[in-house]
Amino acid sequence: MPKKSVAAVECASLSLVAALAVGCPGAQIRPESFTCPAGADEAMREQLHWRDGDTFILQLDDRQSGWDEVWFTAGAEVVGVVPKGVNDDRQAAVAPRGTRFYGKAYYLSDKMGRVDGPALVVRYDRVKLPGQEEQPICFVVENEAVAFKDGRVKGVNRGSGTVVHRWP
């Protein structure tokens, strides 16, 4: 029994790549910290006119119901979208309705060093504004996780995300 507890703690402390390399179960649920995709800082600043710390509201996965609590598969691709009804002038100017965000969903828990309770984290690394080319980005949404079961995390499918320059 103690061996399993030690192994679980060791797996939780490893990065995603290291955890997969040593065969930790469920390693795909934890996002790895790393720098943003190549060109993201320049694209966010020059092409998109985003500023560090800008926040935008979006539906986290457009394939699921907008305001409901829904299940996300940890490590799976999601496509977020800016929905109708967002009344923020700054967002309307730089990330208008219909803007699509591409990324992955993750789960973070207190066992992974989190102190604010379990979270659904979605990291978006690409964006496509209506009528424009796809751009690399660093954008993170962090919502409360309602439940976690069998590698899936349940959370509200709408939230506010933040422009960042390094993945948390």
Side-chain angles (χ1 to χ4, degrees):
M1 189 74 164
K3 283 187 178 181
K4 287 184 179 179
S5 297
V6 171
V9 170
E10 287 175 356
C11 282
S13 68
L14 295 173
S15 71
L16 175 61
V17 173
L20 289 172
V22 296
C24 294
Q28 74 279 2
I29 65 174
R30 178 185 173 180
E32 181 178 4
S33 293
F34 62 98
T35 56
C36 296
D41 281 334
E42 181 182 343
M44 290 186 300
R45 186 179 58 251
E46 302 297 326
Q47 281 80 36
L48 300 169
H49 307 290
W50 292 4
R51 299 185 293 240
D52 189 29
D54 271 347
T55 59
F56 307 132
I57 296 169
L58 59 141
Q59 181 176 333
L60 305 185
D61 190 354
D62 73 344
R63 297 167 291 190
Q64 301 191 66
S65 182
W67 283 106
D68 294 338
E69 291 178 353
V70 298
W71 287 97
F72 294 84
T73 300
E77 298 282 332
V78 295
V79 179
V81 65
V82 175
K84 292 187 234 181
V86 175
N87 296 321
D88 179 88
D89 291 339
R90 170 82 179 136
Q91 181 170 345
V94 298
R97 183 180 72 154
T99 297
R100 300 180 73 73
F101 290 75
Y102 302 93
K104 289 186 179 182
Y106 297 95
Y107 172 72
L108 293 178
S109 75
D110 56 342
K111 293 175 185 164
M112 297 171 188
R114 185 167 166 79
V115 295
D116 297 330
L120 163 65
V121 176
V122 183
R123 292 192 321 197
Y124 297 98
D125 59 5
R126 295 167 293 136
V127 71
K128 185 172 184 338
L129 276 68
Q132 295 187 23
E133 295 290 320
E134 192 174 282
Q135 299 285 338
I137 60 166
C138 274
F139 187 81
V140 177
V141 175
E142 188 173 316
N143 283 352
E144 177 185 354
V146 177
F148 179 76
K149 183 178 179 183
D150 299 328
R152 294 171 49 95
V153 58
K154 189 175 191 179
V156 176
N157 194 24
R158 187 152 314 190
S160 178
T162 305
V163 173
V164 297
H165 291 283
R166 180 166 177 76
W167 301 120

